[in-house]
């Protein structure tokens, strides 16, 4: 018996990187996993097939985020596709990066990053609550950048601070239903998205590893295992928290 047998999970941005690691781990633990992707349809299909090959259930939903109504369209597609109505676990992982300093950020870029990283998760949760069974789990993927000064991502970091604050309010609001809400804040993680400046740059890799108390760069499974714990019944007494998943960066 898996820890999540009988549960239904939605993982946004589940075709690559951290999201893929989360989707595959929840699938191994027994959850039926619905994962979203923006453009990477091939990668999304690979994740679905991998989960199924391991005896799990999964399906992928194409979803573009950042436009008004995107959350409602996602849930319409979810309702039409899921073999089991309702949801138990929602992981807001999809996000838009913004590697620009204060002088470079335009109003257009600012609006886009907040639309994807704050507005979309907010309305995904708003729609999820009416579908979520009591005892459910909301897990928002935040960032270690909320506590580390990184001026080169000055528009991105505040979006994750907003997500952490949203998590706090959700924990209080939904607690009477036994629904927990927590954030997970990764540090430097080896993903395709970070390949150009991290994986393919030996100096950047060494610097990033040195920042961690554990002396290495994170892997998607490091984050996925924490999310799986929060999704399980073992984490039933944890809510309203930001779980640092940076490997002890700059402590």
């Amino acid at each position: 018996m898996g820890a999540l047998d009988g549960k239904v999970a939605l993982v946004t941005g589940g075709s690559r990187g951290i999201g893929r690691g989360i989707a595959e781990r929840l699938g191994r633990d027994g959850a039926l996993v619905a994962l979203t992707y923006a453009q990477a349809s091939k990668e999304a299909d690979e994740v679905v097939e991998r989960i199924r090959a391991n005896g799990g259930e999964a399906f992928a939903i194409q979803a573009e985020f950042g436009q008004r109504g995107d959350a409602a369209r996602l849930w319409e597609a979810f309702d039409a596709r899921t073999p089991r109505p309702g949801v138990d676990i929602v992981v807001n992982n999809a996000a838009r990066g913004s590697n620009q300093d204060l002088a470079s950020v335009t109003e257009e870029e600012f609006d886009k990053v907040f639309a994807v990283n704050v507005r979309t998760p907010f309305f995904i949760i708003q729609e999820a609550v009416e579908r979520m069974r009591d005892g459910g789990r909301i897990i928002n993927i935040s960032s270690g950048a909320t506590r580390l000064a990184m001026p080169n991502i000055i528009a991105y970091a505040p979006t994750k601070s907003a997500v952490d604050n949203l998590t706090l309010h959700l924990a209080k609001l939904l607690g009477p239903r036994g629904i927990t809400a927590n954030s997970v804040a990764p540090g430097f993680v080896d993903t395709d998205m970070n390949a150009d400046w991290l994986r393919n740059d030996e100096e950047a890799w060494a610097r990033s590893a040195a920042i961690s108390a554990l002396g290495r760069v994170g892997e998607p499974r490091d984050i996925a295992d924490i999310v799986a714990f929060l999704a399980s019944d073992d984490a039933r007494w944890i809510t309203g928290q930001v779980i640092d998943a940076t490997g002890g960066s700059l402590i």
Side-chain angles (χ1 to χ4, degrees):
M1 294 289 289
L4 301 179
D5 280 355
K7 304 295 186 182
V8 177
L10 172 70
V11 180
T12 66
S15 63
R16 300 170 61 187
I18 291 173
R20 175 173 183 156
I22 292 170
E24 291 182 355
R25 173 59 200 270
L26 298 186
R28 287 199 305 274
D29 284 357
L32 163 62
V33 180
L35 60 104
T36 77
Y37 67 95
Q39 312 252 331
S41 60
K42 179 181 178 181
E43 290 85 349
D45 289 342
E46 289 174 354
V47 178
V48 169
E49 289 306 313
R50 185 176 179 115
I51 292 172
R52 290 175 177 173
N54 288 324
E57 299 177 87
F59 62 93
I61 301 171
Q62 197 280 329
E64 295 277 355
F65 295 145
Q67 301 297 320
R68 296 183 186 277
D70 54 11
R73 287 188 290 272
L74 166 61
W75 283 110
E76 287 174 6
F78 175 91
D79 290 341
R81 293 282 308 278
T82 183
R84 298 204 294 274
V87 69
D88 302 283
I89 302 157
V90 172
V91 182
N92 281 303
N93 167 74
R96 177 186 176 94
S98 181
N99 297 317
Q100 298 179 14
D101 61 18
L102 178 63
S104 302
V105 176
T106 64
E107 290 187 359
E108 180 182 17
E109 171 64 14
F110 185 91
D111 288 345
K112 285 181 178 178
V113 73
F114 268 82
V116 175
N117 296 2
V118 182
R119 188 176 70 201
T120 295
F122 182 98
F123 287 104
I124 285 176
I125 293 167
Q126 183 188 70
E127 292 269 347
V129 167
E130 64 187 43
R131 295 168 171 84
M132 184 169 281
R133 285 175 276 273
D134 290 355
R137 302 284 187 264
I138 296 171
I139 303 167
N140 296 319
I141 304 303
S142 179
S143 172
T146 61
R147 67 173 183 84
L148 306 175
M150 302 177 71
N152 61 308
I153 54 171
I154 199 165
Y156 169 82
T159 68
K160 295 303 185 177
S161 295
V163 165
D164 290 346
N165 189 260
L166 172 62
T167 299
L168 183 67
H169 291 286
L170 290 168
K172 182 68 172 180
L173 176 66
L174 301 175
R177 292 180 53 193
I179 297 172
T180 66
N182 292 288
S183 290
V184 176
F188 297 113
V189 180
D190 180 20
T191 66
D192 292 342
M193 184 179 296
N194 295 333
D196 288 344
W197 70 269
L198 181 60
R199 185 185 299 170
N200 299 331
D201 186 328
E202 291 185 5
E203 291 185 4
W205 184 279
R207 289 195 303 270
S208 300
I211 287 173
S212 166
L214 298 175
R216 66 173 176 86
V217 171
E219 301 174 8
R221 66 187 182 93
D222 295 322
I223 314 305
D225 289 350
I226 296 170
V227 171
F229 166 68
L230 291 174
S232 75
D233 187 61
D234 289 343
R236 61 191 175 277
W237 202 236
I238 300 173
T239 195
Q241 303 303 305
V242 179
I243 309 300
D244 186 289
T246 67
S249 292
L250 295 180
I251 60 174

